[in-house]
Amino acid sequence: MLLSIVVLSYNRPGQIERILKNFDGVVSSNFNIIIKDDCSPKISEIESVYLKYKSKINVNLILHKNDSNMGYDRNLITAFDITDADYVFLLSDDDYVDGEKIDNLISCLIATRKDIYYTPYSCEGKINRDSLNVETNKVLLPDFSSVIYNSILFSGLVFNRSAVLELDLDRDFLANSIYTQVYIATLLIYNCRSYGTLPNDVLYLGGDGDNYFGKNEAAKNSSLLSDRTKLTSNLNYQPFLLLTIKKVASVTDNRIYSVFIKEYKKRLISYGLRSRHCGYKEHSDFLFKYVNSDLPFFLIPFLSFLMLFLVPKKVAGLINDMGIKIVRKSG
């Protein structure tokens, strides 16, 4: 088997059905679909959807039920243990793919045989992650901030399964890191200094369904992530991102962390601009939570937050939009 599409599933039968419905009429023996369910309370509904499409679609469909509730990171990292396919395409259960375009994706895998691929994704009519639209065998140190930010969304990351299993991973650390996929992607690209890109008409973000972190009981840090719709929620989970980057840098090149922090500070200022655009109260709340968060204290972003009280909120929004268009190339 060349490819397994592994759907990390938790309590979203409706979204699972949407994923499978997109494979109706698709015929292929080059890939299978594995629903990796993490002990969902709605497992009976998920099983009903599975049985309905097991007999309806012409793709090998498997329902893998974890013996116990693993939580986000453990459910992801064990995805490579439940298949013997050459490649694993990770998919969140609230995102979906165009089943008719999978053959084009498979052709890219066969032709290039990289250890890791990035799939651009469509969200609200806009293609994202498309800055990585050229395959490269020359990933340089300054490129790793882009690598990191483009790895945060795990849907559409395609890994060479053998390459992942050969890594010496600190699974105890990763078990509650929230960013297991970022660690693995960064380590693989550091080792081989290359990645592949896949067609941009395959992956779509659904953005609906219950929050995975907030609803999965075994996710140790889920209480911090229960409402990611709030701007200040970034301040809750980003300390875990920084810890993950520091960890992977310690086993590769410590300069990766420095490169990442340089980009991270720009984005932190962007969060400040967004909070000021929302209003004085929201910006005050953002500043208070930043100062009291577990994030490192960065002087320049902090001073910019203070100065933004003098900037009209519409101007702050315009500056942020302009900065994103000019500066941001990833994530």
Side-chain angles (χ1 to χ4, degrees):
M1 182 72 64
L2 180 68
L3 176 69
S4 283
I5 299 174
V6 180
V7 181
L8 301 186
S9 166
Y10 187 77
N11 230 31
R12 293 170 174 164
Q15 284 76 13
I16 293 293
E17 180 156 18
R18 178 175 60 190
I19 290 171
L20 300 180
K21 186 177 182 180
N22 276 280
F23 289 92
D24 194 6
V26 176
V27 180
S28 179
S29 59
N30 285 325
F31 73 95
N32 63 8
I33 302 170
I34 302 175
I35 303 167
K36 191 173 187 295
D37 188 78
D38 199 19
C39 296
S40 296
K42 296 183 180 179
I43 186 59
S44 60
E45 296 177 47
I46 291 171
E47 287 177 332
S48 295
V49 172
Y50 161 74
L51 292 172
K52 173 182 176 181
Y53 284 90
K54 176 78 171 174
S55 59
K56 187 174 183 180
I57 62 176
N58 293 308
V59 176
N60 184 22
L61 178 62
I62 299 167
L63 175 59
H64 176 92
K65 294 185 284 187
N66 293 344
D67 293 333
S68 61
N69 186 252
M70 295 181 171
Y72 167 75
D73 289 288
R74 292 185 189 275
N75 199 29
L76 188 152
I77 201 169
T78 55
F80 304 98
D81 301 326
I82 63 169
T83 176
D84 59 1
D86 294 344
Y87 288 93
V88 172
F89 182 119
L90 294 178
L91 183 65
S92 173
D93 55 3
D94 67 338
D95 301 328
Y96 58 98
V97 299
D98 184 340
E100 294 183 352
K101 303 296 176 61
I102 290 294
D103 279 345
N104 294 336
L105 183 148
I106 287 174
S107 295
C108 290
L109 297 180
I110 294 173
T112 54
R113 293 285 179 175
K114 301 285 187 179
D115 282 349
I116 180 173
Y117 294 83
Y118 291 89
T119 309
Y121 58 90
S122 178
C123 180
E124 298 180 347
K126 180 183 177 182
I127 301 296
N128 297 275
R129 207 192 254 156
D130 56 334
S131 60
L132 294 174
N133 58 2
V134 179
E135 293 186 6
T136 177
N137 291 308
K138 298 179 181 179
V139 177
L140 304 175
L141 188 66
D143 299 323
F144 274 93
S145 61
S146 178
V147 165
I148 290 164
Y149 276 109
N150 279 297
S151 303
I152 289 176
L153 177 75
F154 71 80
S155 284
L157 296 182
V158 182
F159 295 95
N160 180 306
R161 176 175 166 271
S162 295
V164 173
L165 293 178
E166 289 171 2
L167 295 174
D168 183 17
L169 298 175
D170 184 346
R171 295 199 175 207
D172 290 335
F173 170 82
L174 293 175
N176 295 298
S177 70
I178 305 174
Y179 292 99
T180 292
Q181 74 281 1
V182 174
Y183 186 98
I184 294 173
T186 305
L187 190 54
L188 283 176
I189 293 175
Y190 179 81
N191 289 343
C192 64
R193 296 298 172 126
S194 69
Y195 58 78
T197 56
L198 296 169
N200 62 11
D201 57 355
V202 176
L203 178 62
Y204 295 83
L205 263 59
D208 48 8
D210 292 331
N211 181 289
Y212 188 96
F213 289 123
K215 299 298 182 180
N216 197 328
E217 291 87 349
K220 182 177 179 181
N221 300 307
S222 64
S223 62
L224 297 176
L225 308 169
S226 58
D227 187 1
R228 289 184 293 161
T229 61
K230 292 182 179 179
L231 180 61
T232 52
S233 70
N234 294 323
L235 304 178
N236 291 332
Y237 63 82
Q238 287 176 357
F240 296 98
L241 177 60
L242 270 61
L243 284 174
T244 300
I245 305 311
K246 184 173 288 188
K247 177 72 172 180
V248 74
S250 71
V251 298
T252 54
D253 187 328
N254 284 315
R255 292 176 296 173
I256 289 176
Y257 184 75
S258 300
V259 167
F260 171 75
I261 287 297
K262 183 178 179 180
E263 174 66 20
Y264 176 76
K265 289 178 182 178
K266 298 176 186 176
R267 297 188 181 225
L268 193 57
I269 292 172
S270 175
Y271 295 136
L273 286 163
R274 288 165 58 191
S275 68
R276 177 63 193 95
H277 179 62
C278 292
Y280 277 116
K281 182 181 182 302
E282 291 81 358
H283 188 56
S284 297
D285 185 47
F286 179 85
L287 178 58
F288 176 81
K289 291 192 175 180
Y290 169 67
V291 172
N292 290 280
S293 73
D294 291 329
L295 287 168
F297 179 81
F298 298 117
L299 180 60
I300 292 177
F302 174 73
L303 292 176
S304 74
F305 298 157
L306 294 177
M307 293 176 62
L308 282 172
F309 282 108
L310 305 175
V311 177
K313 69 176 187 177
K314 288 185 178 180
V315 174
L318 289 172
I319 294 172
N320 187 51
D321 291 343
M322 187 181 302
I324 289 174
K325 290 179 181 179
I326 295 173
V327 177
R328 184 174 295 187
K329 296 181 173 60
S330 59

